[in-house]
Amino acid sequence: MAADTSVEILQKVLENEILQTTKVVEEHLDAEMQKLDQMDEDELERLKQRRLEALKKAQQQKQEWLSKGHGEYREIPSERDFFQEVKESKNVVCHFYRDTTFRCQIMDRHLTVLAKKHVETKFLKLNAEKSPFLCERLRIKVIPTLALVKDGKTQDYVVGFTDLGNTDDFTTETLEWRLGCADIINYSGNLMEPPFQSQKKFGTSFTKLDKKTIRGKKYDSDSDDD
């Protein structure tokens, strides 16, 4: 009998919380509707113009990005090109690869998808064997490695697949989440919930380097293994 009473009390508490939440949402919607109702034609027109201006500005920004090579995953031929590319764009992801490394092909597939989705970021690839100076400066020893560059500075690295679930079968969403953690793309998901099936199993240890310049003085080595 006591158990039944407890269940009833709990049920009533839950129902009351649901009702309170619903009431708050309804009040917020009512307030927004009231604001719209109170607007005169001039105010509505100004609101419309602001939205149109915002859309126009966003479209202009997109065209500017595309003109700088955003929107596609491209290979650059030399280290000199790398410095020019990162100078032109605020956010850059550069994949240091090697032709004989199978995992680089896996990374290529995911980056091709993300380059089209995240036009705000430039996605590049550079043959590590043809860029010894840059690899030495950035202390790149593991292939594949993604250098995440913001405002001409290397903010972070994705070294191998460690941060991607330690598996060759990681999803594009997992890589997208990892880039979002570095704030190198505009990520709309929840950064607190990595898309791993088992977060405990895979872990989320990052190889993060803060405020290091591209021509930087010192970098920490992550691994000596290829």
Side-chain angles (χ1 to χ4, degrees):
M1 190 73 176
D4 291 340
T5 303
S6 298
V7 170
E8 289 178 2
I9 292 173
L10 180 59
Q11 197 169 17
K12 288 181 179 180
V13 169
L14 290 173
E15 288 176 354
N16 185 57
E17 289 183 355
I18 292 172
L19 286 172
Q20 290 298 323
T21 302
T22 303
K23 183 179 179 181
V24 170
V25 173
E26 288 178 346
E27 288 176 352
H28 177 72
L29 289 174
D30 288 342
E32 291 297 319
M33 292 296 293
Q34 189 173 3
K35 283 182 182 179
L36 289 174
D37 289 340
Q38 291 174 349
M39 282 186 177
D40 57 29
E41 289 186 7
D42 290 340
E43 288 175 320
L44 287 172
E45 183 62 28
R46 285 195 293 271
L47 178 61
K48 180 181 177 181
Q49 288 300 321
R50 284 198 297 269
R51 289 179 176 175
L52 287 174
E53 285 296 323
L55 288 172
K56 183 179 179 181
K57 186 175 180 180
Q59 185 61 28
Q60 289 174 341
Q61 177 66 81
K62 183 178 180 180
Q63 291 302 317
E64 181 182 346
W65 283 329
L66 292 175
S67 70
K68 292 179 179 179
H70 292 226
E72 60 178 336
Y73 178 46
R74 301 181 288 116
E75 179 165 6
I76 52 177
S78 70
E79 295 171 320
R80 181 178 296 179
D81 293 286
F82 174 86
F83 290 112
Q84 183 60 37
E85 293 281 1
V86 300
K87 183 180 179 181
E88 289 179 352
S89 299
K90 181 180 179 64
N91 297 312
V92 179
V93 174
C94 187
H95 173 203
F96 287 85
Y97 79 98
R98 188 168 53 205
D99 286 326
T100 55
T101 302
F102 172 71
R103 282 186 164 184
C104 291
Q105 298 174 30
I106 297 174
M107 188 67 79
D108 283 340
R109 292 199 296 270
H110 295 296
L111 292 174
T112 298
V113 174
L114 292 176
K116 295 176 181 177
K117 182 176 181 180
H118 291 280
V119 184
E120 73 277 6
T121 300
K122 181 182 286 183
F123 287 81
L124 307 171
K125 62 185 296 188
L126 179 59
N127 191 324
E129 294 177 334
K130 295 181 180 179
S131 50
F133 169 79
L134 196 53
C135 286
E136 182 181 355
R137 282 291 184 179
L138 299 182
R139 300 297 293 273
I140 293 174
K141 296 180 179 293
V142 176
I143 300 296
T145 286
L146 302 183
L148 312 183
V149 186
K150 182 180 285 288
D151 294 320
K153 298 178 181 179
T154 51
Q155 298 286 77
D156 202 352
Y157 291 107
V158 179
V159 181
F161 292 173
T162 303
D163 296 345
L164 306 174
N166 247 347
T167 174
D168 291 352
D169 298 325
F170 69 89
T171 63
T172 301
E173 289 74 23
T174 297
L175 178 56
E176 183 179 29
W177 165 81
R178 179 62 183 86
L179 297 180
C181 289
D183 194 30
I184 205 72
I185 59 172
N186 295 335
Y187 186 69
S188 59
N190 185 353
L191 292 174
M192 301 303 294
E193 296 181 3
F196 300 147
Q197 290 185 348
S198 174
Q199 189 173 349
K200 290 183 180 179
K201 176 181 177 182
F202 296 132
T204 57
S205 59
F206 297 159
T207 51
K208 186 166 185 178
L209 300 175
D210 294 324
K211 299 180 181 178
K212 305 291 187 180
T213 64
I214 288 298
R215 303 178 187 274
K217 303 294 190 298
K218 183 179 179 182
Y219 292 86
D220 295 330
S221 176
D222 298 299
S223 172
D224 290 328
D225 299 329
D226 286 342

